[in-house]
Amino acid sequence: MSGLVGIRLLLLWGCGCLWLTSPTSGSLVIFEDTEALEETTGPAKSLQKRSTNEAMVQVHSVTVECTVMSRFSHTVMTSVALNKANTSQEIFFEVELPKSAFITNFSMEIEGKEYVGQVKEKEKAKKQYEKAVSSGQTAGLVKASGRKMEKFSVSVSIAAESNVTFVLTYEELLQRKFGQYEILIRVKPKSLVQQFQILANIYEPQGLSYVDTHATFLSNELLPLVEKTVSDKKAHISFSPTLDQQRKCPDCDGSLIDGDFIIKYDVNREGRLGEIQIVNGYFVHFFSPPDLPRVPKNVVFVIDRSGSMGGTKMRQTLEAMVTILDDLHVDDYFAVIQFDDVILTWKDSLTKATKENVAEAKSYVRSIRANGGTDINSGVLRGIDMLIKDRQEKKLPERSIDMIILLTDGMPNSGVSRIPEIQENVKSAMGGNMSLFCLGFGNDVDYNFLDVMSKQNKGLTRRIYEASDAVLQLQGFYDEVSSPLLLEIDLQYPDNAVDYLTTSHFPQLFNGSEIVVAGRLTDNDLDNFLVEVIGQGLEESFNVQGQASIVDWNVIYPDESYIFGDFTERLWAYLTIQQLLEKSKTGTSDEKANFTAKALDMSLQYSFVTPLTSMVVTKPETEDGPDSPLIANKLTEEQRQQAERAKPIKMYHRVATQLQGAALQAKQLPYAPVYFVDGDPHFMIELPDRNDSLCFNINNVPGTIFNLVRDPESGVFVNGLIIGDKKIPADGKINTYFGGFGIIHATLGVRLQVTTQAISVLQDGKEVKLLWTDTASLKGPNVDLLVTKDRSLKVTLKGSVKFVILLHKVWKKHPYHQDYLGFYTLDTHLLSPSVHGLLGQFYHGIEYEVTGLRPGESPEKPDATMFTKGHQLTVTRGWQIDFRRDVKNGENVPCWFVHNNGSGLIDGEATDYIVPGLFTAF
Ligand SMILES: *[C@@H]1O[C@H](CO)[C@@H](O)[C@H](O)[C@H]1NC(C)=O
Ligand SMILES: *[C@@H]1O[C@H](CO)[C@@H](O)[C@H](O)[C@H]1NC(C)=O
Ligand SMILES: *[C@@H]1O[C@H](CO)[C@@H](O)[C@H](O)[C@H]1NC(C)=O
Ligand SMILES: *[C@@H]1O[C@H](CO)[C@@H](O)[C@H](O)[C@H]1NC(C)=O
Ligand SMILES: *[C@@H]1O[C@H](CO)[C@@H](O)[C@H](O)[C@H]1NC(C)=O
Ligand SMILES: *[C@@H]1O[C@H](CO)[C@@H](O)[C@H](O)[C@H]1NC(C)=O
Ligand SMILES: *[C@@H]1O[C@H](CO)[C@@H](O)[C@H](O)[C@H]1NC(C)=O
C-alpha cells in the first residue's frame, strides 16, 4: 500500500507539484495548482506547453527492419534525430527487444564520426566501466521491460544543430509455439516522427501457410496502412504512417504509435523427416512432423498451498487447475497432491481422466486452502512414488509419458530444505524415467533452483507473473506441454560429415512446437548426407530416414540470395550458445566452467551480447564531460526477477500504467483517465494514454441502489439509485438512469444527498440545502460544493476526492423520460489502494488486451476478444456519450463494450454491488 504512494512521490518529482508527508497521518498531502486540475475537464490546452528542450529535438526517422530467414530473425532499429537548439542537448535512444534475442551490434554516428560498439567479456567490460564510473561518469544499460522484453537505453550529448544516428541490431531464433512463430516489435517513439517505418521480410523455403499481423496500437484508421504481400515462400510487411497519420488528434503532437507490432506465421510442414537446409558449410534441421497422434500422459499435479499462496495466488491457481483438469484427455491419468508442511493427496494412485473423475477432482481442488510451510521435497517425492508404484502395478498404459507439474511460489522451508539435497533426491527418484515441469509463481520463488531441478529431469521451468492474467499464464503453460507427440527423439547425421552438432536428443516433442538441430559440415561431399530420426510414438516406434540436399537460395530467391550470407552459421552459433548457457547451469563445477568458457568464446567470436558478454561503446567527449564507456548487458532470469522484486508494487503491469499515467498527469492533465456513469446507466472508463475506453451497462429495476465507490480506509462511499421512465414507452423498452446519489465521507462525518431536484449536505446534525435552480458555492471546512445552475455540481471532499455530478434536464412534458444524473470522477489519487465499487475498482488502472477484431452483429460495430482479469471476453466496438464538456449534446467516445452487465470486467457480478440504502457505508 505504501508502495503505491511511494510511486507517485517518485514520479511527480520535478513536475511542479510539491509532495509532503503529513506528520500526523503518515500519508501524503498534495499541494497543487488547482487551476491545473480544472483542465481535467477542460479542453486539451496544456499539450503544447511541452518542455522546450523536447521540442528542440526533432526525430527525423525511426526505422525497424526485420529480416527472417528460416526462423532466424535479424532486426535493425535505426533512429535519426536532430538537435535544433542552439546549445548542446542530451538525446535519448531507447529500444525494447525480446529477451530471447541477443544484441549483436550498436553504433552511433555523430557529426560524421561513427562510434561502434564492441562485444567484450562481461568482467572486462565491467572493470573498464567501473574505472570510468569512479571518475564520475555514467553508462548506458539494459533493463528488464515487461515479461517478454528488455530495454536498451543510451543517451548522448549532441552539439547545437547537429544530427545523431543510432543503430541497434539484434538476432533471435524464433521458436514455434502453439503452431506458430511470433515476431514482436515494440515501438514507442514518444513523439511524432518524420519518417516512420516498420519493414519485415520473411523468407521460408518450406513455404508460408499463413501470415497474420496485428498491433496493440492500431486503430481502424491505421489498420489499412499495414501492407502485406505474401507469396509462397516470402512475405513482405510494411507499415509507414505519415506524420499526420501518427497524430493522436489533429492538433496535438502525441503519437498513436505506442505498443507492440506483432507478426505471426507458420510454415508448411510436409513429410515426416522435416526440413533440412544446407547453406555455406552449415546445416539446420527443422523437425515437427504433421499429423502425429498424441501420446497419453500420466500427470501428477503437485500444488503448493503454503501460507504465502493465500489470497489471489491461490484463487488463480485453483481457477486454472479447474480448467486444466477439464482439458485432460480421457486417455490421460492424473493425480492431485497439495502440500504445505503436510502432504495431502486426493487419491493414493493416479486416476483415469474420465468425466466423473475430473468432476470429483475439481471439487477437491476447489476445497484447497492456503496455510502452513513449504515442504517441496516431500511433495514432489510423493508424486514420484505414486507414478513408480502405479507403473509397477501396471495401472498405467504401456506407452505413455510420466510427468510431474509442480507449482510453488516460495522457497522450501519445511522438511528437507537444503536445495542441492532436494535436487539430488528428486533426480535419483525420477531416475530419468519421468519429466518434471515447474511453475514458479511470483517474485519470492527461487527460480534458479526450480530451473536446474527441471532441467535435470527432462523438463523446464516457467515463471508465472503475479498479475490479473495469472490464470491464463498457468493454462498457457499447461497447453504447451499437454500434448506430447513423441518421446526420446534422436536425430542422427553422418558422423564423418558433421561436427559441432547442437543438441540432437530430446526427451519429448510437444504438439505445436518444433525441434531444431544445426551443425557444421566437415565434408563438402554431400552425396550421402543421410538423416535419421528415431522416437517413440503412440502405437509404434517412429523411424524416418532421408537424404538432405543443398538448398540453392539462388533458385528459390533469385533476386535476393545476396542477403542470406552466413545465416545458417549464425543460427548454429545462436543455438549452440543458448544450449551451452543452459548446460552451464547443471553438472559438476568443472563441467560448468567448461560450458561457460565455450559459450563465452563463441559469444565473442560471433559478437552476441549474452549473459557472459557486454557491448561497450565509447561515448564521445563533449563540453559536459570526457568520453566514457557505455555498456549494455544481457539480463539473466534471476536479474529480471530481482529487478521486479525491487519494485514497490508487485503487479508491475499496474506500475507501468501508473508510470505512464502519472508521468502524463504531471504535464498533460487532459490525459488522466476518467471514470463515469451517465445515461441509461452507461459506465465508462476512459484511458486517454491508450486512446481507448471501456464501457458496460448495468441493468436493474428502478429503486435498486448500487455501490459505485467504496473505500473504507479513507471513509469515502458513493451509492447511486436507479430510476426509470415516467411510464413505459410504446416500444416497451424501459430506460433506467441514476436519479440520486449518496456520498459519504465517514471520517469527516459528511453526508451528501443529490437528487434531480436538490442537493443536501448533512454534517454534525446540521443540514444545508441547495437547489439546482441557482448557481451557488459552498465552502466548508471539509467539503466544497459548486453548483452551476441546472447543469453541474462539483464536490470536493477535503484531502481526498473530487466528483462532478451532471444534471440532465428533460423536457417537462416529455411523455416518458424524466430528469436524471451523471456521475464523473475527477480526482481519486488520495483514495486508498483498496478502493472498490462498480467504478472505484478501476481507479487502480485496468490491464487488458484486445485482439482478434472481426465482424460483429452490425457492420459498424466489430467484435473482438478482450483478455482481462484472467478472463477472455467477447467485446463489441461501440459508442458512449461523454457529457463533461457539453452537458446538452455530449461528445461521442468510442469504447469496447463489455456485455452482460460488465461480466468479466467487473469483479464478481453486478448484483454483488447492490446495497440497501443510499447511505450504506460498510
Ligand atoms: C539561443 O536561442 C535563444 C532563443 O531560442 C536566444 O534567446 C539565445 O540568444 C540564443 N543563444 C545564442 C548563443 O545564440
Ligand atoms: C556494426 O555496425 C557498424 C556501423 O553500422 C558496421 O560498420 C559494422 O560492420 C557492424 N559490425 C558487425 C559485426 O556487423
Ligand atoms: C540532419 O539529417 C537530415 C536527414 O538525414 C538532413 O536532412 C539534415 O540536413 C541534417 N541536418 C544537419 C544539421 O546535419
Ligand atoms: C483515438 O482513436 C480514434 C479512433 O479509434 C480517433 O478517431 C481519434 O482521433 C483518436 N484520438 C486521439 C486523441 O488520438
Ligand atoms: C495439435 O494442435 C493442433 C492445433 O494447434 C490441433 O489441431 C491438433 O489436433 C493437435 N494434435 C494433437 C494430436 O493434439
Ligand atoms: C527407470 O526405468 C528403468 C527401465 O524401466 C528401470 O530399470 C529403472 O529402475 C528406473 N529407475 C528408477 C529410479 O525407477
Ligand atoms: C572441457 O572440454 C574439452 C573438450 O571440449 C575436454 O577436452 C576437457 O577435458 C574438458 N574439461 C573439463 C574440465 O571437463
Side-chain angles (χ1 to χ4, degrees):
M1 313 236 151
S2 64
L4 229 161
V5 167
I7 281 233
R8 292 183 194 277
L9 179 65
L10 192 88
L11 283 165
L12 291 181
W13 256 344
C15 73
C17 314
L18 173 64
W19 290 85
L20 293 176
T21 302
S22 142
T24 48
S25 67
S27 70
L28 285 170
V29 180
I30 186 170
F31 295 86
E32 92 270 278
D33 173 11
T34 38
E35 282 296 8
L37 268 173
E38 300 291 358
E39 288 181 8
T40 316
T41 50
K45 62 183 171 213
S46 72
L47 271 180
Q48 280 81 20
K49 281 192 260 159
R50 281 275 190 79
S51 130
T52 44
N53 278 358
E54 224 171 288
M56 289 313 224
V57 174
Q58 189 182 59
V59 186
H60 265 295
S61 70
V62 169
T63 315
V64 182
E65 247 187 297
C66 173
T67 312
V68 181
M69 285 159 285
S70 294
R71 293 65 146 173
F72 194 65
S73 85
H74 174 93
T75 306
V76 184
M77 297 217 168
T78 309
S79 179
V80 181
L82 170 68
N83 175 12
K84 291 200 292 185
N86 60 9
T87 53
S88 72
Q89 276 201 85
E90 200 77 0
I91 295 190
F92 290 83
F93 176 67
E94 282 189 345
V95 164
E96 290 186 59
L97 58 144
K99 64 180 182 184
S100 45
F102 291 151
I103 290 175
T104 60
N105 203 358
F106 172 68
S107 69
M108 303 186 278
E109 191 185 322
I110 303 163
E111 289 169 55
K113 205 166 160 226
E114 197 165 63
Y115 301 83
V116 182
Q118 271 184 308
V119 175
K120 295 193 175 173
E121 187 179 344
K122 193 172 190 171
E123 286 309 309
K124 287 187 184 148
K126 201 168 136 208
K127 282 201 187 97
Q128 186 183 352
Y129 166 66
E130 274 163 1
K131 229 168 88 194
V133 166
S134 63
S135 60
Q137 294 157 11
T138 54
L141 278 176
V142 173
K143 296 190 190 69
S145 175
R147 297 173 196 170
K148 292 183 173 176
M149 310 295 272
E150 55 198 27
K151 184 190 277 178
F152 170 89
S153 54
V154 40
S155 77
V156 280
S157 180
I158 301 299
E161 283 148 27
S162 293
N163 272 346
V164 56
T165 305
F166 298 101
V167 189
L168 182 84
T169 310
Y170 61 82
E171 291 177 333
E172 179 190 14
L173 178 64
L174 304 176
Q175 236 192 332
R176 189 163 184 266
K177 244 188 217 178
F178 299 117
Q180 62 190 10
Y181 307 94
E182 180 183 288
I183 302 166
L184 175 61
I185 296 168
R186 186 165 290 177
V187 277
K188 295 176 169 286
K190 293 203 174 92
S191 61
L192 299 175
V193 179
Q194 313 236 312
Q195 290 176 344
F196 179 90
Q197 190 171 44
I198 296 176
L199 254 182
N201 284 300
I202 302 169
Y203 301 90
E204 289 289 351
Q206 263 166 284
L208 291 155
S209 60
Y210 69 86
V211 179
D212 272 349
T213 58
H214 86 273
T216 53
F217 54 85
L218 283 188
S219 58
N220 293 343
E221 287 87 72
L222 287 180
L223 208 56
L225 300 178
V226 178
E227 283 173 25
K228 187 170 91 175
T229 336
V230 184
S231 56
D232 177 28
K233 295 177 163 53
K234 179 181 168 183
H236 173 83
I237 291 140
S238 74
F239 174 62
S240 34
T242 64
L243 199 82
D244 279 336
Q245 286 165 336
Q246 294 166 39
R247 276 184 214 282
K248 270 201 167 159
C249 54
D251 295 319
C252 49
D253 18 339
S255 175
L256 282 175
I257 313 290
D258 179 9
D260 294 342
F261 189 89
I262 298 156
I263 303 169
K264 293 180 174 171
Y265 73 93
D266 197 13
V267 298
N268 296 328
R269 292 176 304 124
E270 283 148 16
R272 292 162 68 100
L273 187 62
E275 166 88 358
I276 298 147
Q277 295 171 3
I278 300 174
V279 184
N280 279 348
Y282 288 80
F283 86 93
V284 56
H285 182 185
F286 300 101
F287 177 74
S288 60
D291 308 324
L292 286 180
R294 60 190 295 286
V295 176
K297 62 183 184 294
N298 311 308
V299 53
V300 182
F301 297 98
V302 180
I303 300 170
D304 183 346
R305 49 136 188 169
S306 60
S308 57
M309 283 285 291
T312 308
K313 279 195 275 190
M314 201 73 235
R315 183 177 56 72
Q316 291 172 324
T317 301
L318 302 187
E319 196 181 318
M321 270 309 297
V322 166
T323 314
I324 289 171
L325 289 172
D326 267 330
D327 287 349
L328 284 170
H329 198 276
V330 66
D331 294 336
D332 292 341
Y333 282 74
F334 73 105
V336 182
I337 296 178
Q338 48 165 318
F339 70 94
D340 48 16
D341 33 14
V342 181
I343 317 298
L344 295 178
T345 57
W346 169 51
K347 298 204 163 155
D348 286 339
S349 60
L350 282 89
T351 308
K352 197 165 197 290
T354 59
K355 242 190 168 143
E356 298 73 33
N357 290 338
V358 164
E360 199 185 317
K362 273 157 62 180
S363 54
Y364 174 76
V365 160
R366 288 201 183 94
S367 73
I368 297 179
R369 297 285 174 269
N371 189 20
T374 313
D375 186 354
I376 292 178
N377 186 65
S378 308
V380 175
L381 291 182
R382 183 63 164 274
I384 299 172
D385 281 349
M386 251 190 212
L387 281 164
I388 291 177
K389 189 167 136 278
D390 285 5
R391 273 266 172 225
Q392 280 167 353
E393 293 172 6
K394 306 228 181 296
K395 286 185 186 159
L396 304 174
E398 186 74 17
R399 265 187 203 273
S400 57
I401 174 176
D402 295 341
M403 58 167 88
I404 287 186
I405 297 185
L406 165 69
L407 180 136
T408 178
D409 74 330
M411 313 257 210
N413 62 14
S414 169
V416 177
S417 58
R418 234 176 50 81
I419 282 169
E421 197 175 331
I422 301 175
Q423 287 170 336
E424 195 43 52
N425 290 347
V426 171
K427 189 173 157 189
S428 65
M430 288 196 147
N433 291 342
M434 44 188 100
S435 297
L436 174 67
F437 297 99
C438 301
L439 293 165
F441 202 151
N443 286 329
D444 298 328
V445 70
D446 183 342
Y447 181 84
N448 199 38
F449 153 56
L450 298 177
D451 192 35
V452 168
M453 187 161 70
S454 60
K455 295 220 164 85
Q456 287 171 336
N457 297 290
K458 305 200 287 191
L460 57 99
T461 291
R462 234 354 113 66
R463 269 190 71 192
I464 301 298
Y465 295 83
E466 250 181 284
S468 56
D469 69 344
V471 177
L472 291 178
Q473 297 176 53
L474 291 164
Q475 289 164 7
F477 174 80
Y478 171 78
D479 286 346
E480 252 179 78
V481 300
S482 63
S483 294
L485 303 178
L486 287 178
L487 309 179
E488 305 302 339
I489 305 111
D490 242 319
L491 299 101
Q492 295 169 2
Y493 310 92
D495 274 347
N496 56 355
V498 169
D499 64 2
Y500 297 115
L501 196 62
T502 60
T503 302
S504 62
H505 178 89
F506 296 81
Q508 58 285 103
L509 171 72
F510 294 109
N511 192 22
S513 72
E514 179 179 67
I515 283 174
V516 184
V517 181
R520 192 173 76 169
L521 303 173
T522 48
D523 190 349
N524 279 331
D525 171 24
L526 292 165
D527 282 348
N528 44 33
F529 192 79
L530 267 184
V531 178
E532 183 171 13
V533 184
I534 304 166
Q536 293 164 27
L538 173 63
E539 297 298 338
E540 72 273 20
S541 291
F542 178 95
N543 191 336
V544 279
Q545 281 188 2
Q547 189 139 4
S549 53
I550 298 183
V551 176
D552 193 345
W553 293 76
N554 290 311
V555 173
I556 308 179
Y557 303 110
D559 302 325
E560 287 144 318
S561 60
Y562 61 93
I563 58 174
F564 300 104
D566 55 358
F567 97 87
T568 26
E569 181 175 356
R570 294 196 67 80
L571 186 159
W572 163 81
Y574 174 98
L575 201 57
T576 306
I577 293 169
Q578 291 279 28
Q579 291 175 353
L580 286 170
L581 289 170
E582 287 305 327
K583 283 188 205 157
S584 71
K585 290 178 185 167
T586 58
T588 66
S589 55
D590 269 357
E591 283 163 352
K592 283 183 188 172
N594 214 347
F595 291 135
T596 306
K598 277 189 207 155
L600 172 62
D601 262 4
M602 285 189 68
S603 304
L604 291 170
Q605 188 186 344
Y606 287 92
S607 177
F608 282 125
V609 179
T610 67
L612 305 173
T613 52
S614 302
M615 172 77 71
V616 182
V617 60
T618 301
K619 209 169 152 175
E621 184 179 318
T622 62
E623 59 212 55
D624 303 333
D627 58 346
S628 58
L630 294 160
I631 59 174
N633 292 327
K634 177 98 201 147
L635 304 177
T636 60
E637 198 55 43
E638 289 280 278
Q639 286 170 323
R640 284 168 191 284
Q641 193 178 338
Q642 258 171 25
E644 242 162 73
R645 223 180 263 149
K647 283 187 187 169
I649 293 190
K650 282 181 176 170
M651 293 202 182
Y652 71 91
H653 252 86
R654 185 194 296 171
V655 174
T657 323
Q658 281 171 352
L659 273 169
Q660 287 161 3
L664 287 164
Q665 237 168 338
K667 282 224 172 76
Q668 311 170 0
L669 278 162
Y671 273 34
V674 178
Y675 316 90
F676 68 82
V677 53
D678 208 338
D680 179 10
H682 301 306
F683 285 76
M684 181 85 162
I685 299 123
E686 281 185 29
L687 304 161
D689 56 328
R690 290 182 70 156
N691 187 22
D692 206 358
S693 302
L694 310 179
C695 51
F696 56 96
N697 291 353
I698 297 289
N699 296 310
N700 215 301
V701 293
T704 311
I705 300 172
F706 283 107
N707 173 257
L708 303 182
V709 181
R710 177 177 174 273
D711 185 18
E713 218 166 296
S714 68
V716 176
F717 299 84
V718 180
N719 299 318
L721 166 74
I722 300 272
I723 57 167
D725 284 329
K726 281 187 275 197
K727 61 177 191 182
I728 297 175
D731 63 5
K733 185 180 175 287
I734 310 164
N735 294 299
T736 51
Y737 309 90
F738 276 106
F741 292 110
I743 301 177
I744 304 128
H745 197 310
T747 324
L748 301 176
V750 179
R751 279 178 172 207
L752 190 73
Q753 181 165 1
V754 185
T755 66
T756 53
Q757 275 89 46
I759 299 135
S760 74
V761 193
L762 193 75
Q763 187 169 22
D764 308 325
K766 276 176 283 183
E767 190 182 9
V768 182
K769 217 167 183 162
L770 298 171
L771 293 177
W772 279 109
T773 46
D774 297 308
T775 291
S777 83
L778 182 104
K779 273 196 187 298
N782 295 325
V783 57
D784 287 354
L785 300 182
L786 176 67
V787 185
T788 308
K789 183 176 174 333
D790 285 339
R791 247 158 221 259
S792 67
L793 164 72
K794 185 163 165 185
V795 182
T796 310
L797 292 170
K798 187 183 154 199
S800 57
V801 272
K802 290 186 188 183
F803 303 119
V804 164
I805 292 171
L806 296 184
L807 173 65
H808 294 277
K809 287 197 76 96
V810 172
W811 178 44
K812 271 216 179 66
K813 293 181 188 156
H814 195 286
Y816 318 117
H817 301 334
Q818 55 174 331
D819 297 352
Y820 65 95
L821 302 171
F823 178 87
Y824 293 75
T825 310
L826 289 197
D827 181 10
T828 58
H829 75 267
L830 291 178
L831 289 176
S832 84
S834 57
V835 61
H836 209 266
L838 271 175
L839 274 180
Q841 61 189 289
F842 300 105
Y843 296 172
H844 309 300
I846 168 94
E847 270 313 312
Y848 68 95
E849 287 305 332
V850 177
T851 62
L853 204 64
R854 55 190 178 265
E857 253 173 50
S858 74
E860 73 280 14
K861 292 182 176 173
D863 281 349
T865 302
M866 177 183 290
F867 295 96
T868 187
K869 296 185 173 176
H871 303 288
Q872 182 176 342
L873 312 172
T874 296
V875 293
T876 303
R877 196 69 178 162
W879 298 87
Q880 296 292 18
I881 305 174
D882 179 344
F883 290 95
R884 274 176 302 149
R885 284 175 266 262
D886 180 349
V887 179
K888 279 218 152 58
N889 306 309
E891 284 170 62
N892 272 330
V893 180
C895 58
W896 292 111
F897 182 77
V898 181
H899 299 264
N900 304 327
N901 292 321
S903 191
L905 175 67
I906 61 171
D907 291 338
E909 295 300 326
T911 47
D912 299 344
Y913 297 83
I914 296 177
V915 290
L918 262 191
F919 291 118
T920 303
F922 55 90

